[in-house]
Amino acid sequence: LAVYAGVIISLTLALSASFARPVETLNRAAQRISAGDLELKVKVHGPLEYEQLADALNRMTERLAHLEGLRRKYVSDVSHELRAPLA
């Protein structure tokens, strides 16, 4: 009986770890993205839902990077216009 309990506990721990690892990876990636790392590409292997979430994070990061580029260009253009004499 103790052997069966040990096997069941081991399998349960292994299964829970296989679900927890991708979530931890996604969490670390989201933290890095929120800190400004817009070059990060998330790769997760696991259940389909986790892979779909990783793809969504990657698309969101690409859009944020694009918007950041547009913002920088706009600020640069405005700064140039304010420094240039009016014609």
Side-chain angles (χ1 to χ4, degrees):
L1 185 63
V3 172
Y4 291 121
V7 169
I8 290 172
I9 290 172
S10 297
L11 289 174
T12 302
L13 291 174
L15 185 60
S16 65
S18 72
F19 284 108
R21 246 180 263 114
V23 172
E24 291 171 359
T25 301
L26 289 166
N27 183 35
R28 282 193 304 274
Q31 289 175 356
R32 286 180 55 189
I33 291 167
S34 69
D37 185 358
L38 300 180
E39 301 297 319
L40 179 68
K41 297 295 179 217
V42 184
K43 294 180 184 174
V44 173
H45 302 288
L48 179 62
E49 291 83 2
Y50 294 167
E51 292 178 7
Q52 289 173 337
L53 184 55
D55 289 340
L57 274 174
N58 288 334
R59 286 191 309 274
M60 179 187 69
T61 304
E62 288 172 10
R63 289 180 182 148
L64 285 172
H66 180 69
L67 288 173
E68 177 62 16
L70 290 175
R71 184 193 68 81
R72 288 177 191 246
K73 173 113 175 77
Y74 178 75
V75 169
S76 174
D77 290 347
V78 168
S79 294
H80 173 73
E81 291 299 324
L82 290 175
R83 283 182 296 208
L86 294 175

